Amino acid sequence: MSAEALFERCTNIEIKLAYLEDFIKGLQNVVLEHEKRLDTLHAENKALRQKLDEIAENSGTPMPHTRPPHY
């Protein structure tokens, strides 16, 4: 293999590596955004469950925490 061919091959590998690094950074950002959104949704879900429990206690009617039979 000539030096010129080896140099071209190394350059192509470096280009591919740069694209892969950029792609991984983009994926990492997406994962971080999804993690933040999931944390927010978990907090909202917890708050809603607590609110439902408060409503059930105040109304005197127990609210079932089971899935309906069609699930």
Side-chain angles (χ1 to χ4, degrees):
M1 183 177 280
S2 70
E4 188 175 310
L6 185 59
F7 178 76
E8 185 177 334
R9 188 171 178 193
C10 287
T11 302
N12 289 336
I13 291 172
E14 288 176 350
I15 290 169
K16 287 180 182 181
L17 180 61
Y19 279 116
L20 284 173
E21 286 175 342
D22 184 55
F23 181 73
I24 289 171
K25 285 180 185 177
L27 283 177
Q28 184 178 12
N29 289 336
V30 169
V31 169
L32 290 174
E33 289 174 20
H34 286 178
E35 184 178 13
K36 288 178 187 176
R37 183 68 179 140
L38 276 174
D39 289 343
T40 301
L41 290 172
H42 283 291
E44 289 175 358
N45 188 3
K46 184 177 180 181
L48 287 171
R49 285 179 181 265
Q50 289 174 347
K51 189 69 173 175
L52 282 174
D53 288 341
E54 289 175 14
I55 291 171
E57 286 177 14
N58 292 337
S59 69
T61 306
M63 298 186 99
H65 293 290
T66 58
R67 289 184 171 198
H70 62 277
Y71 275 96

